[in-house]
Amino acid sequence: MTLWFTSDSHFSHANIIKYCNRPFANVREMDQCMVDRWNECVKPSDHIYHLGDVTMMRPKYVKHILEQLSGHKRLIRGNHDIYKTKEYIEAGFEEIYGVRVIDNLLMTHIPVHPDSLGGFDANVHGHIHDRPNFAPVKRFKRVNGVLDETRPYLVSYINICVEATNYRPITLEEIKQMVRGEGGLYGRG
């Protein structure tokens, strides 16, 4: 089982093509591309977290799309995921979250303010679409509850919007490569 991540698909949202310069002629082409690239990666036994903004409309209107997507789907709500939890479950998501922490990586839709990053290694997020990542933030380790300014470290922001990942999900390992500064497949934007 592999853990996968994606964000901001905006299924069936025609205006997102224009707003974010997505390379598609129309919604049908965009949706099909994202379904194809998702299913090239994600196996039925895999788990995938969608970090919000699945669609701008009620989930039932894109259920036919979500049913085509492989894997056990989990949703971390975005600012456009405003409908009742029950609607997202009925559309195909198994679990719904506001935020998740996986391997000390803070998974959110909207990037978290630097003062709220605490001891996380990175904030993996969506929301900013085709805009570049924020610069890493310098933090200090705590020793016995006291900040130790001799022990600095950087907390990265990792944008995983579909525009930043070539419209395909990415693995937890790819995210960890980006956090370590190895670039991974997509670099650090």
Side-chain angles (χ1 to χ4, degrees):
M1 189 258 325
T2 302
L3 273 181
W4 294 90
F5 299 84
T6 192
S7 188
D8 293 86
S9 53
H10 283 255
F11 285 115
S12 297
H13 180 202
N15 285 335
I16 200 72
I17 295 170
K18 177 179 65 178
Y19 295 153
C20 293
N21 299 310
R22 290 188 177 186
F24 306 105
N26 55 54
V27 164
R28 187 169 288 142
E29 181 184 317
M30 176 182 72
D31 290 351
Q32 191 60 55
C33 175
M34 289 190 290
V35 167
D36 291 346
R37 290 185 183 177
W38 180 304
N39 289 335
E40 288 168 4
C41 301
V42 181
K43 295 179 178 66
S45 61
D46 291 342
H47 290 205
I48 179 161
Y49 285 86
H50 193 296
L51 273 59
D53 290 4
V54 175
T55 184
M56 294 282 289
M57 55 187 68
R58 293 195 100 89
K60 68 181 178 182
Y61 296 118
V62 296
K63 182 178 181 181
H64 67 285
I65 295 171
L66 298 176
E67 288 173 337
Q68 296 175 56
L69 301 172
S70 295
H72 297 273
K73 294 175 279 298
R74 283 96 168 88
L75 174 63
I76 296 174
R77 284 183 183 263
N79 57 302
H80 294 297
D81 303 312
I82 60 173
Y83 301 103
K84 292 183 179 182
T85 298
K86 175 183 169 188
E87 293 185 51
Y88 294 97
I89 298 291
E90 289 171 351
F93 285 95
E94 296 177 10
E95 298 175 10
I96 313 294
Y97 301 97
V99 65
R100 290 286 287 164
V101 176
I102 299 171
D103 289 354
N104 207 42
L105 302 171
L106 180 63
M107 309 287 180
T108 63
H109 175 67
I110 296 173
V112 171
H113 189 278
D115 289 345
S116 299
L117 287 173
F120 297 110
D121 293 333
N123 178 197
V124 180
H125 62 84
H127 190 64
I128 64 172
H129 292 275
D130 55 349
R131 294 186 298 272
N133 279 327
F134 300 118
V137 177
K138 186 176 184 180
R139 308 293 295 169
F140 297 99
K141 300 255 184 221
R142 288 189 176 271
V143 178
N144 298 321
V146 177
L147 285 179
D148 182 349
E149 293 187 15
T150 66
R151 299 179 69 189
Y153 66 99
L154 293 177
V155 178
S156 299
Y157 286 94
I158 307 295
N159 173 18
I160 64 160
C161 290
V162 294
E163 295 90 353
T165 63
N166 200 24
Y167 303 92
R168 72 179 268 289
I170 62 174
T171 64
L172 181 60
E173 185 52 40
E174 287 174 293
I175 292 170
K176 288 178 178 181
Q177 286 176 343
M178 288 184 252
V179 171
R180 290 190 301 261
E182 297 170 8
L185 189 56
Y186 302 104
R188 295 184 68 165

